[in-house]
Structure formats: C-alpha cells, structure tokens
C-alpha cells in the first residue's frame, strides 16, 4: 500500500484500488452497495440550483468533503467516473442542492458496488533489450458540443496511452464557446496532442525512442479533414491557430490524426454520461472488465 492506494501486481499488469477510501464512503456518508451499475443517469446533466433550493451550510460542507474524496479517487484510481465527478465539482463553491447531493451519493454507491475495479496498467508492448526499441504513444480525443445548458460550452474528453496502457485522462469544460462541432473537436484534439508531446519529450529526455508518427484518434471527420487538407475557408479562419499547430506536427511526421467512430472511442465516456452497455465497454479500457478480475 502507498498513500492509501493498494497496488496489486499480476504477471504483466498492475492494478490500483483504494479500499480505505471506499470504507469512508460507508462510515462517513452511509452509502452502501446496491444495484447502481453506472455512476450517473445516462444523458443527465447537472444544472445550477435556485437560491431557495441550496443546501444549508452543514450539508454543503458534507457535499464538499464527499466530492473532494471522489476527486482523489477519480484522479488516481477510477478514471471512469471522471465526467460524473467533474460535474459534481462545479457546485462545490457556487452551491449545491439535494439533487447534487443525491448525484454524489450515487457515484459513491457505484464505487462501492464495483469496489474491485481500479486503474489497470497492462502494457501491450514488452521491451526485448534492443536499444532501437520504439515506444508507442496513442491519443484519443472527443467532445460533446454545447453540453453546458447555462454557458453552452462544450466538454473535452482526452486519453493518452503509453504502450497500450492509459497514463493521462482528462474531462474538462472548454474555456471558450465553440461555434461548431468541428471546432469543439479541434479544441479537444489540440489539448490531447499537447499531452502526447509532453510524454514524448519526457521519454526522449531519458534517451528512449518514440515511434513516429504518433496516432491521435478523433471521432469527427470534419476535424480530421481540416488537419489533413491544406485549404482553409472563411468559415474556419477563427480556429486556424489550432489547425496550424496540428498541421505542423503532421508535416514534421510527429503526429497523424485518424478518424475513429465514437462507439469505439473510449474518450467518449469523459464527455457525457453513457448508458450501461456503452459505459462498461469504455470503462474496461481503463479499469479492466469484471471477467478480467475473475481470470487473474
């Protein structure tokens, strides 16, 4: 165990869980295992509450404490709850209602129900001792256009994989209001590319070789065509800076953008609350499947 995280080693994988923090969900928040199989209701979006619906100071403190614990768990152990916890964290300062409290307790109940799940690091590459060995870096980005009902900002979801193992995940509200689906996807792709470049430079600083070009998978054909084509129309001038950044990486043979359908793009789960079938499919990429736990 290390800083509250339990590290389990298998033959070719490592899994991170946190039984102590899960126990606090039961002891401090009276949450229990149940039939909750997804962290949030599919398609739901939390909204700002009216002043007369806000929790009292004591309940608000309890809410902040609970979300704080979920943020820690999300960051280190349970990436599949990123989107649900991101929504909850928005109301830590502006005020939460009983609806937000129930949503928080649902995420805790989900974590307890699936307590054997945890971040799974299982590389698909194995170094054979060859000094010319090349490490593979893969990125997947997605966005949900104008998701926030109040600001109409979009949500970016990105994942970076090193040798097939997830190392960086993000679920963030974009800083600006995107004017189109393609622009929202381009913003997410740019953020993912920056993460991939950071990992590349870090590995190269340790004299490791990175396989080029790196592949960035995006589920929007418009964004992919925008980077792979040279023509820029009047309707895309407002986002040309991001285009040029990704095009420059493409021209230097550092990065290639490819289309990947949303149903196959695991970053889709970081942009919206998915139904059970789609959620479990994408979650298995990061925390493994329940069948995997039985096998090991």
């Amino acid at each position: 165990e290390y800083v509250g995280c339990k590290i389990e080693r298998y033959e070719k994988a490592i899994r991170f869980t946190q039984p102590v923090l899960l126990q606090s969900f039961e002891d401090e928040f009276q949450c229990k295992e149940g039939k909750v199989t997804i962290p949030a209701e599919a398609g739901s979006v939390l909204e700002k509450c009216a002043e007369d619906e806000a929790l009292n100071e004591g309940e608000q403190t309890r809410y902040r404490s609970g979300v704080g614990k979920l943020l820690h768990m999300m960051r280190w152990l349970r990436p599949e709850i990123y989107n649900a916890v991101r929504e909850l964290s928005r109301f830590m300062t502006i005020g939460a209602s009983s609806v937000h409290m129930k949503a928080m307790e649902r995420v805790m109940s989900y974590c307890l129900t699936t307590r054997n799940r945890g971040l799974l690091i299982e590389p698909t590459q194995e170094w054979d001792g060859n000094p010319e060995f090349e490490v593979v870096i893969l990125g997947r980005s997605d966005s949900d256009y104008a998701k926030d009902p109040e600001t109409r900002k979009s949500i970016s979801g990105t994942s970076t994989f090193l040798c097939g193992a997830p190392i960086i995940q993000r679920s963030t509200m974009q800083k600006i209001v995107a004017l189109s689906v393609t622009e929202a996807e381009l913003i997410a792709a740019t953020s993912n590319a920056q993460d991939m470049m950071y990992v590349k430079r870090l590995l190269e600083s340790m004299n490791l070789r990175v396989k080029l070009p790196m592949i960035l998978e995006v589920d929007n054909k418009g964004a992919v065509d925008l980077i792979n084509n040279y023509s820029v129309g009047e309707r895309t001038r407002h986002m040309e800076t991001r285009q040029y950044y990704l095009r420059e990486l493409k021209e230097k043979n550092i990065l290639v953008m490819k289309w990947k359908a949303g149903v196959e793009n695991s970053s889709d789960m970081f942009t919206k609350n998915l139904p059970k079938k789609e959620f479990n499919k994408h979650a298995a990429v990061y925390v493994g499947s329940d069948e995997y736990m039985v096998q090991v």
Side-chain angles (χ1 to χ4, degrees), residues 6 22 28 37 55 60 65-66 119 147 161 163-164 166 172 182 214 227 236 253 259:
K6 181 180 179 182
L22 286 173
E28 296 180 34
T37 55
L55 299 172
Q60 186 68 43
S65 175
L119 180 63
K147 185 68 173 182
F161 298 84
C163 298
T172 58
T182 298
M214 301 182 292
I227 301 307
T236 59
N253 198 41
W259 177 76

Side-chain angles (χ1 to χ4, degrees), residues 40-48 83 86-87 90-91 99-100 103 144 146-150 152 155 173 271-273:
E41 184 180 349
S44 64
V45 180
L46 294 178
E47 299 185 34
K48 186 177 180 181
N83 186 68
R86 175 195 57 77
E87 283 197 295
R90 295 180 55 218
F91 304 97
V99 174
H100 303 117
D144 198 8
K147 185 68 173 182
D148 184 63
E150 185 177 359
R152 309 313 295 174
I155 307 299
M173 182 179 292
T271 66
K272 61 180 76 70
N273 295 319

